[in-house]
Amino acid sequence: MSNYHIKHLEEYYQVYRKSVRNPEGFWEEIAEEHFLWRKKWDNVLSWDFKKPEVKWFEGAQLNITENCIDRHLATRGDKTAILFEPNDPKEGSEHITYKQLHHRVNKFANVLKEQGVKKGDRVCIYVPMIPELAISLLACARIGAIHSVVFAGFSSKALATRINDSDCKMVITSDGSYRGSKTIDLKGIVDEALESCEGVEKVLVAKRINSDINMKEGRDLWLQPLLDAASDQCKAEVMNAEDPLFILYTSGSTGKPKGMVHTTGGYMVYTAYTFKNAFQYRENDVYWCTADIGWITGHSYIVYGPLANGATTVLFEGVPSYPDFGRFWDIVDKHKVNQFYTAPTAIRALAKQGVEIVEKYDLSSLKVLGSVGEPINEEAWHWYNDNIGKNNSPLIDSWWQTETGGIMITPIPYVTPTKPTYATLPFIGVQPCLMDENGKELKGNQVDGRLCIKFPWPSIARTIWGDHQRYKDTYFSTYENMYFTGDGALRDEVGYYRITGRVDDVIIVSGHNLGTAPIEDAINEHPAIAESAIVGFPHEVKGSALYGYITLKDAGESRKHDNLRKEINQLISDRIGPISKLEKIQFTNGLPKTRSGKIMRRILRKIAEKDTSNLGDTSTLLNPECVQEIIDNAL
Ligand code: WT7
């Protein structure tokens, strides 16, 4: 037996050492014993971080849906695969068994084929958190189409950019979506986006809110009648291990989103293995991750990882505050959830509501708590650990990224002793290191540096869609022969890692990874605005919030500043989405710049953080006089 399920600390260290000394041998054994391959690999791993190129299980053939669905039918056919909990609790939940999932995915896959989707085609999925969302990912994977899920909170402009970047020929959406007491006109957003997307031939529309929408003749099709007519038998396409499974966009330091490409074999092996261990999933457990499938967390730990293990995974459509702030705990109680995975921003928002509301529910089913998306502050860590876990369910603070595909640094519950605010130890097979600013590795413990990974793991993203050079520049050029994460971290005296936050111009707001460049680009479109700079500042609930410094073309702009603020946020909402709105907007006469014309964000960040005691030497700036003015008018 291989080391698929790690149960104690000694075993962790032993398996970790094995995975690092002989990565090929280690992963080959895991892949061999726990997955269904149509053909085994010729070569376990080939890699070169200089090119960069990484290939796992080359020559192997498989279909990930056979691993996530078909192989469970004999033993788990009537087990719940997806447990759908709708926005409105009165609607009642839906249990989709593995058999039913098989039936629905096959039908959906046949509809895709009938509508002209072929292996390798890109399909954009812009669907709220309803079963059709998970099913559409799997249907694409069934026929070898590459899915590109766009979070259904993005604006029409952001959607159009993503559709065009990867040349999607189909969009899957719904008439609308529920979000707490509101409804959102998703199809309207799609229609607007498609005005600038010539490549899209077909739009499949799921019915969710029964709204009256426009259906464009010849392009738009209701999904349900097509599903009803389709066969429930669809042979799984045989895929190569290195064939792309999906594209998922993440923001970066330029205005253009990066379409991270994940491939099939390695992604499957790594997400399944991490799921089993990081959550200590046991047969018959009910697992719930509150993320949206529009983010990598949902891809890997609502859909692929859990289903590859034959797990029961909860899919929740709603929000933590509807019908009231007890909703999460109500769901845990109702479905006897065993593993609960959420984000620090949700924890902080719920902690603000007090423990009385938590105490109304029976949370005794919980065995493991998880946190992901941003550093979890000490207070939130304790609140979660004490009031939700009752000091009895280990809290795993799991660090990873869209680019890493799966969890990279995390305690293994009941195995690794936890420490507040620490992601603790690298997962099996992960070789992290800390670098100083001059490119030297910081050896030993009690050091603080930039987090890199030295060796490939199976689910590393292979490229950026259509832009391999950018992939190289972003991740492999800062430090030689290493994957650079963009995060800072420290290692304590026992070798535990604590992630301290981004060291680039990505800001994490409520767990959403936001690049400053696209936001600044959107603002600068405003005719009255000359220039802008966005920085993050600490926020009680959101972790970080956005602070915008904005210079107007005409300093004596007659319009009211408050109106301008509204217009700016409206512009951001239209171009990117409401999650990127600015919390604070300060109008300035100028922005501090270096002599080469670069905006000194470090200074602006300090002012936004209200820490102006040590701004450093500002006399070498091009325009030192603007600094005092900005401090005087800071919000
Ligand atoms: C960035 C990646 C993959 C999960 C969802 C976010 C930050 C993520 C942690 C954590 C501290 C964290 C990092 C990372 N981050 N998890 N446990 N502790 N920071 O995926 O949108 O690609 O963002 O989220 O800064 O680089 P993402």
Side-chain angles (χ1 to χ4, degrees), residues 250 296-297 371-376 397-403 423 485 487 499 501-502 508 511-513:
T250 185
I296 190 72
T297 310
S371 172
V372 63
E374 59 181 311
I376 178 164
D397 175 10
S398 62
W399 173 86
W400 59 295
Q401 309 177 294
T402 304
E403 296 86 339
T485 65
D487 284 315
I499 314 302
R502 302 291 310 184
I508 300 191
H512 300 307
N513 193 326

Side-chain angles (χ1 to χ4, degrees), residues 170-181:
M170 175 186 272
V171 176
I172 304 172
T173 189
S174 67
D175 53 351
S177 64
Y178 294 118
R179 203 180 154 72
S181 54

Side-chain angles (χ1 to χ4, degrees), residues 223-243:
L223 181 61
Q224 197 55 51
L226 298 176
L227 289 173
D228 291 342
S231 150
D232 68 353
Q233 298 297 317
C234 178
K235 253 177 58 194
E237 189 73 37
V238 177
M239 305 300 288
N240 290 321
E242 280 298 334
D243 280 341

Side-chain angles (χ1 to χ4, degrees), residues 51-264:
K51 280 185 180 171
E53 185 181 270
V54 177
K55 290 182 176 165
W56 282 93
F57 309 115
E58 224 183 328
Q61 292 180 332
L62 74 155
N63 187 290
I64 195 167
T65 69
E66 290 186 327
N67 282 273
C68 289
I69 308 171
D70 303 53
R71 68 167 164 150
H72 305 309
L73 293 178
T75 50
R76 300 183 178 111
D78 295 317
K79 177 177 174 177
T80 302
I82 295 175
L83 204 175
F84 174 60
E85 175 66 28
N87 178 63
D88 182 349
K90 289 204 265 331
E91 192 186 314
S93 41
E94 182 187 353
H95 289 252
I96 302 171
T97 65
Y98 274 93
K99 261 190 212 148
Q100 290 164 335
L101 185 63
H102 183 258
H103 174 86
R104 291 174 70 169
V105 167
N106 278 274
K107 275 180 168 273
F108 205 134
N110 281 325
V111 169
L112 295 179
K113 282 212 257 185
E114 283 158 22
Q115 296 307 320
V117 179
K118 295 193 182 60
K119 178 174 179 173
D121 285 346
R122 274 79 59 207
V123 173
C124 174
I125 301 174
Y126 188 73
V127 175
M129 284 285 281
I130 54 178
E132 285 77 4
L133 174 55
I135 292 168
S136 61
L137 269 69
L138 295 162
C140 286
R142 187 80 175 173
I143 65 166
I146 302 170
H147 57 73
S148 169
V149 183
V150 176
F151 170 59
F154 274 118
S155 72
S156 60
K157 284 265 164 33
L159 175 61
T161 307
R162 287 158 177 76
I163 290 172
N164 288 330
D165 183 75
S166 47
D167 274 319
C168 294
K169 71 191 282 195
M170 175 186 272
V171 176
I172 304 172
T173 189
S174 67
D175 53 351
S177 64
Y178 294 118
R179 203 180 154 72
S181 54
K182 290 190 232 149
T183 56
I184 297 163
D185 174 23
L186 278 197
K187 177 62 166 51
I189 297 173
V190 170
D191 288 342
E192 222 176 284
L194 293 192
E195 283 170 22
S196 53
C197 302
E198 281 173 11
V200 174
E201 293 162 14
K202 289 274 153 57
V203 179
L204 300 184
V205 187
K207 199 168 247 177
R208 179 55 183 144
I209 66 168
N210 285 309
S211 59
D212 192 15
I213 56 166
N214 287 323
M215 294 292 279
K216 188 170 167 182
E217 187 76 44
R219 185 193 73 184
D220 302 349
L221 298 160
W222 287 106
L223 181 61
Q224 197 55 51
L226 298 176
L227 289 173
D228 291 342
S231 150
D232 68 353
Q233 298 297 317
C234 178
K235 253 177 58 194
E237 189 73 37
V238 177
M239 305 300 288
N240 290 321
E242 280 298 334
D243 280 341
L245 175 64
F246 65 85
I247 300 168
L248 185 60
Y249 287 88
T250 185
S251 42
S253 51
T254 76
K256 208 169 169 252
K258 297 177 287 194
M260 304 312 307
V261 177
H262 282 285
T263 58
T264 309

